[in-house]
Structure formats: C-alpha cells, structure tokens
Amino acid sequence: MRTADQVKRKYHELSTRKQAVGALYAEAGDEARPELQAQSERLEEQMLLLEWVLSEPIGSYHG
C-alpha cells in the first residue's frame, strides 16, 4: 500500500508530464498531434484515479 505522500508525488509527476505533453502538442505538426492527445488523455485518467485514491470516503458503507 502506498502512503498519501507517495501518491501525491506521483500525481505531481504526472501533472508535470501532462504539462510537457501539452507544450509539445502546441509545437507539434499534424502527424504527431493524435498521439500526443492520446498520451495526454492517458495521463489525465491516471491523475483522476490518483485523485480518487486520495479522496477521503464520505459517509458510512453500512449507514
């Protein structure tokens, strides 16, 4: 099991990578853009999963 700090570091790493991909997308030609868009979407999905892991549950399962 990963600690919250490890998850936050990974989230920050993914965020930095997504920004780099966004910068490449802005400079890329038409041929590279679909691949960069797909990579950006994968990073976004990974970030959303990490956000879900970091979120504290609300309420009670048996409540």
Side-chain angles (χ1 to χ4, degrees), residues 6-49:
Q6 289 173 318
V7 174
K8 287 176 186 176
R9 278 194 299 271
K10 185 64 175 181
Y11 182 87
H12 180 67
E13 175 191 330
L14 293 174
S15 176
T16 302
R17 286 174 50 192
K18 186 173 180 236
Q19 289 176 351
V21 168
L24 288 174
Y25 183 86
E27 298 173 2
D30 290 338
E31 302 84 31
R33 285 191 172 180
E35 183 180 330
L36 291 171
Q37 180 68 32
Q39 187 175 359
S40 179
E41 289 171 2
R42 282 192 303 274
L43 290 168
E44 181 69 27
E45 184 176 314
Q46 291 173 341
M47 290 169 65
L48 287 172
L49 289 172

